[in-house]
Amino acid sequence: MAKIIVVTSGKGGVGKTTSTAAIGAGLAMRGKKTVIIDFDVGLRNLDMIMGCERRVVFDFINVIQGDAKLKQALIKDRRLDNLSILPTSQTRDKDALTRDGVEKVLKELRDEYDYIICDSPAGIERGAHMAMYFADEAVVVTNPEVSSVRDSDRVLGLLSSKSRRAEKGEEPVKPHLLLTRYDPARVAKGEMMKVEDILEILSIPLLGIVPESPAVLKASNLGTPVTLDANSNAGKAYVDAVSRLMGEQIEVRVLPPERRGLFQRLLGRPA
Amino acid sequence: MTLFSFFRRPRQVHSADMAKERLQILLAHERSDRSSGPDYLPLLQKEILEVIKKYVQIDSEKVGVKLERGAEMSTLEVNIELPAAQAAKRNQAAQPARHAFAR
Ligand SMILES: Nc1ncnc2c1ncn2[C@@H]1O[C@H](COP(=O)(O)OP(=O)(O)OP(=O)(O)O)[C@@H](O)[C@H]1O
Ligand SMILES: [Mg+2]
């Protein structure tokens, strides 16, 4: 039976969709049958990041409303056999996400897959709530920046009070911290909070540290999850994160952002 | 922020430490607010006013409530402008009638 994992953050633009695609691809590369679901109704983007935007016929909302079968809406990834994408609707609004509808879809997927990864919209409204409600585990994507950390803390509060597990009094949703857009050079200069600080503040286990990396933009230009760019430091960081998500104990490495632009190299900054 | 702090070298300021400190103070409060129910302040203010109104007639407009959150302790400052002494006496006399009216 599949594990349901929500990728969430509260704050917008911190890297949820990037991480959903990267983690989904990473799990599939490790032989796990994985489906990634876009919960950002109205602002669908996961399909673009995955490079399957031109193959979308039906979506998550069509399935919830009974206008299409789940099998018709699922898009199989062309690169990774084990990976499927369930895109969302661009025209509906978040009210189309009903709790019963979401539950029905997840139930059907649960028997077929090992992992169900839910890409949450920003905020703490209905869409975000629906994305986290049925989760077993949560990847809390956080940037080393005050408002992102504060919002992550808020989301952790919601996970422990407003999730199905919390309401049923079951074992709580298991949280993981995924620190993204980390820049060790700025940390060294005291300009950016270090990973230890953020761990101390949020006190949840660390899933990984993804450096600020030009490979992320490049991957999104190409419609390829960055995990497939095995030479990039962001790709490596997501591979590590996936191993930890699968329960492996591996050492945390703080990877630097890859080579800086020519201009910065001329200025003699450390690479 | 003074004009000087603007010119000070960023290296000495270590803004990351400021970020951590601010977050630690803020989140400690936000977490306890969350567990003690949302926004108890308005209710607290209302109840404080009700108690005071039993003794002194006050104008709700002339009440200020300020909260300052600190690391070691927080202060809740309630500023109430009391009416002149004479007015207060008159109110005391009028009190039973007001109670009856309130019921
Ligand atoms: N590690 C990184 N290095 C550099 N850029 C990054 C990194 N992670 C994400 N980005 C960039 O940040 C932007 C936002 O990323 P993304 O869309 O994944 O965030 P999101 O949390 O899903 O946003 P939203 O809240 O709008 O759904 C994108 O332009 C992406 O390329
Ligand atoms: Mg997104």
Side-chain angles (χ1 to χ4, degrees):
Chain A
M1 196 153 96
K3 231 178 218 169
I4 302 177
I5 300 178
V6 62
V7 178
T8 183
S9 69
K11 188 168 159 68
V14 295
K16 292 178 293 298
T17 303
T18 304
S19 301
T20 301
I23 290 171
L27 287 166
M29 285 158 73
R30 296 288 305 270
K32 299 291 177 192
K33 281 210 74 180
T34 305
V35 58
I36 55 182
I37 308 180
D38 193 344
F39 274 78
D40 204 347
V41 185
L43 288 172
R44 101 173 166 214
N45 273 322
L46 189 60
D47 56 336
M48 279 232 93
I49 298 301
M50 291 301 297
C52 64
E53 70 278 4
R54 286 190 289 177
R55 295 164 64 205
V56 176
V57 184
F58 296 111
D59 59 51
F60 190 18
I61 305 301
N62 292 141
V63 178
I64 286 177
Q65 299 188 332
D67 300 329
K69 290 258 179 295
L70 182 56
K71 287 240 157 56
Q72 296 176 297
L74 282 170
I75 302 175
K76 262 186 90 71
D77 189 84
R78 288 207 168 121
R79 297 150 298 209
L80 297 161
D81 270 349
N82 291 316
L83 185 61
S84 299
I85 299 118
L86 184 56
T88 195
S89 165
Q90 211 174 14
T91 50
R92 306 301 183 88
D93 61 31
K94 302 207 190 294
D95 294 341
L97 280 178
T98 61
R99 184 180 292 185
D100 291 347
V102 173
E103 183 170 26
K104 227 180 99 225
V105 173
L106 292 178
K107 214 170 179 179
E108 213 179 323
L109 290 169
R110 252 195 150 157
D111 302 326
E112 289 255 344
Y113 290 87
D114 298 318
Y115 285 94
I116 301 171
I117 317 286
C118 305
D119 180 18
S120 173
I124 51 173
E125 311 281 291
R126 184 181 190 89
H129 186 214
M130 283 302 107
M132 74 167 64
Y133 188 74
F134 295 99
D136 301 309
E137 301 187 14
V139 173
V140 180
V141 181
T142 307
N143 292 165
E145 177 267 319
V146 285
S147 57
S148 175
V149 175
R150 181 196 203 175
D151 287 1
S152 293
D153 191 73
R154 185 84 201 280
V155 159
L156 287 167
L158 294 175
L159 283 165
S160 61
S161 63
K162 296 273 159 59
S163 60
R164 192 196 61 90
R165 281 175 172 270
E167 284 179 4
K168 296 257 179 302
E170 291 174 15
E171 186 125 327
V173 179
K174 190 173 159 196
H176 305 271
L177 177 69
L178 184 64
L179 197 54
T180 59
R181 313 203 70 162
Y182 196 70
D183 188 338
R186 300 195 72 185
V187 170
K189 281 191 245 160
E191 293 173 4
M192 187 181 267
M193 277 183 284
K194 47 181 181 294
V195 56
E196 293 84 353
D197 291 347
I198 296 168
L199 282 170
E200 188 187 328
I201 292 166
L202 293 176
S203 53
I204 56 171
L206 181 66
L207 186 68
I209 307 169
V210 182
E212 173 75 27
S213 165
V216 172
L217 179 60
K218 189 176 147 205
S220 78
N221 287 340
L222 300 173
T224 313
V226 72
T227 328
L228 293 178
D229 185 355
N231 291 320
S232 70
N233 283 341
K236 286 178 197 158
Y238 279 114
V239 167
D240 283 6
V242 165
S243 301
R244 292 194 196 96
L245 201 56
M246 290 170 63
E248 292 165 19
Q249 303 279 335
I250 55 169
E251 216 181 305
V252 177
R253 35 179 189 166
V254 183
L255 296 162
E258 35 268 305
R259 58 193 168 76
R260 288 159 180 271
L262 180 64
F263 183 64
Q264 275 150 322
R265 269 184 285 157
L266 285 177
L267 284 177
R269 300 251 203 98
Chain B
M1 188 155 92
T2 65
L3 196 61
F4 269 104
S5 67
F6 180 76
F7 287 107
R8 223 178 277 153
R9 297 238 62 86
R11 216 167 288 239
Q12 285 174 313
V13 175
H14 282 309
S15 60
D17 296 335
M18 290 284 297
K20 182 185 180 187
E21 198 186 309
R22 288 175 58 215
L23 275 168
Q24 278 174 323
I25 294 170
L26 178 72
L27 294 184
H29 288 289
E30 286 188 346
R31 283 170 193 154
S32 72
D33 286 359
R34 242 180 264 147
S35 53
S36 64
D39 297 340
Y40 64 89
L41 268 183
L43 191 64
L44 176 69
Q45 173 172 351
K46 191 170 152 252
E47 287 185 8
I48 288 177
L49 283 180
E50 272 163 17
V51 171
I52 293 171
K53 275 184 183 168
K54 275 193 198 164
Y55 303 94
V56 201
Q57 195 183 20
I58 47 171
D59 181 351
S60 306
E61 300 280 306
K62 293 187 175 151
V63 176
V65 177
K66 264 200 279 183
L67 179 71
E68 173 85 34
R69 290 167 160 160
E72 299 299 315
M73 63 166 211
S74 300
T75 52
L76 181 72
E77 192 184 311
V78 186
N79 259 306
I80 302 163
E81 200 177 302
L82 295 178
Q86 266 210 329
K89 268 196 201 126
R90 236 182 289 127
N91 287 334
Q92 254 173 5
Q95 199 140 321
R98 266 202 305 129
H99 267 240
F101 182 71
R103 259 181 234 125

